[in-house]
Amino acid sequence: MFGLIGHLNSLEHAQSVARDLGYPEYADQGLDFWCSAPPQIVDEITVTSITGQKIEGRYVESCFLPEMLATRRIKAATRKVVNAMAHAQKHGLKITALGGFSSIIFENFNLQQLQQVRTIKLEFERFTTGNTHTAYIICRQLEQLAPQLGIELSKATVAICGATGDIGSAVCRWLDARTDVAELLLIARDRDRLQALQEELGRGKIMQLEEALPQADIVVWVASMPKGVEIDPAQLKQPCLLIDGGYPKNLGNQIQHPGVYVLKGGIVEHSLDIDWRIMKIVNLMEMPARQLFACFAESMLLEFEKWHTNFSWGRNQITVEKMEMIGQVSLKHGFRPLLSF
Ligand code: NDP
């Protein structure tokens, strides 16, 4: 049995989802209430592969909200993540994806030190960040869509916002090794980490976002920002492909501008309907029966293949080989990158 640890993308979102999930007592509550709410299993899932294999899973709502980070409720945020992990383990889930901010909080606040959660000693091999599959899917979205928009990779400048992150660095490695992309623009705040990445790649220009945006044919957004940034689309090239892989979304405004194409990044579409109700209720996908976050799909793939191991773990260790490996089983079981706007 696999698991997905998820969270909603704002307090407002959480309140509306709580009502639809049948928890009216959560629906009118503020942030303090969510800080003390325990994790819950809120959905049972069956996924059928195109090979005919069927697997069962559970969705664990951690009750974490990005506002907890924005308002410095760090202890609440970290408790949400380890409590959700303990809950998943207690229910016998063999491999569970840490969706969205869960893995970022786990890493940034060194939660491997908090292995004992009341009576449960967390077995980290039961968890995966899902970032290898997410990075792979973003790269395939980029490779497949750019030519359709008239962007030739061999002449293209690709800016990666969040380049030094776990997903961002993996995207850079893939673009460097598996494509003939002309130029990489590396964007993040910490200069030392940017320089280390530039050295590892042996290429790439370190830049501020404002400087990079007008030069980029493609922008990959994978920065861990609790709230999106507002950008003026008039400063972008035409055509320009923006792949927003953030959760919550990195782009704060809905962009509608000629020649500017915004794609939901790190999203896969399954070939068959998934038997679940959670995606419909959270209302984040056009086709909730088939579309999902690539990190969630990673735990499904590990369950299909019985790779009960933390396939994606730690930070900045994702290799191109592992991206190819998860990519192969992704195709085998009927997942494909979302390519529609
Ligand atoms: P990491 O924490 O590993 O990396 C975040 C990166 O963003 C770092 O390079 C960081 O560098 C940079 N960053 C953070 N804030 C800013 C800022 N204000 N401006 C510029 N750069 C910034 O995160 P992950 O790689 O694990 O995740 C990235 C995003 O992908 C998150 O939004 C996450 O929720 C989402 N995600 C999506 C998934 C999916 O299935 N679609 C799955 C998993 C994650 P620095 O701190 O130096 O600025």
Side-chain angles (χ1 to χ4, degrees), residues 58-283:
R58 297 286 180 267
Y59 186 91
V60 182
E61 170 55 53
S62 69
C63 294
F64 163 78
L65 294 173
E67 285 92 339
M68 291 175 194
L69 292 182
T71 57
R72 312 257 348 121
R73 288 166 159 97
I74 305 300
K75 204 155 181 203
T78 55
R79 251 193 352 250
K80 297 286 142 197
V81 176
V82 290
N83 286 347
M85 291 170 78
H87 201 63
Q89 187 171 315
K90 195 170 83 187
H91 285 81
L93 308 184
K94 288 200 167 129
I95 184 72
T96 296
L98 299 178
F101 260 78
S102 323
S103 75
I104 296 171
I105 292 168
F106 187 90
E107 287 300 328
N108 288 0
F109 300 105
N110 261 325
L111 299 191
Q112 54 273 45
Q113 293 170 346
L114 295 183
Q115 204 168 357
Q116 192 71 38
V117 184
R118 291 178 299 280
T119 55
I120 294 181
K121 186 167 188 207
L122 290 178
E123 294 162 12
F124 295 139
E125 63 278 11
R126 288 174 179 258
F127 300 93
T128 187
T129 65
N131 286 348
T132 312
H133 191 227
T134 303
Y136 165 81
I137 290 296
I138 290 174
C139 292
R140 296 298 296 143
Q141 289 178 303
L142 185 158
E143 288 172 339
Q144 291 175 41
L145 265 182
Q148 289 181 27
L149 301 175
I151 300 172
E152 215 178 307
L153 286 186
S154 63
K155 294 187 187 145
T157 295
V158 182
I160 299 104
C161 181
T164 54
D166 200 35
I167 299 172
S169 61
V171 168
C172 290
R173 279 179 211 117
W174 178 283
L175 293 180
D176 176 48
R178 290 285 178 274
T179 72
D180 57 356
V181 157
E183 185 69 89
L184 295 177
L185 308 181
L186 312 176
I187 304 155
R189 292 163 305 176
D190 185 296
R191 188 97 199 162
D192 292 345
R193 284 205 295 263
L194 280 165
Q195 273 165 354
L197 177 69
Q198 191 185 40
E199 259 167 51
E200 178 200 325
L201 297 170
R203 63 184 287 195
K205 287 189 187 150
I206 296 172
M207 269 194 199
Q208 299 288 329
L209 182 62
E210 305 69 46
E211 194 190 351
L213 287 180
Q215 299 184 30
D217 300 286
I218 303 171
V219 188
V220 176
W221 296 86
V222 278
S224 50
M225 297 185 286
K227 224 169 152 249
V229 288
E230 303 289 327
I231 64 162
D232 172 10
Q235 65 178 316
L236 302 173
K237 276 187 166 178
Q238 290 181 15
C240 183
L241 171 61
L242 303 173
I243 303 181
D244 190 351
Y247 184 76
K249 292 280 145 228
N250 282 184
L251 293 174
N253 46 351
Q254 292 271 344
I255 295 174
Q256 280 186 338
H257 196 78
V260 176
Y261 303 89
V262 183
L263 180 73
K264 286 184 184 161
I267 304 294
V268 284
E269 198 163 294
H270 193 43
S271 309
L272 301 167
D273 283 0
I274 296 175
D275 182 6
W276 59 1
R277 57 184 199 127
I278 188 68
M279 274 297 155
K280 205 171 285 163
I281 292 174
V282 299
N283 196 22

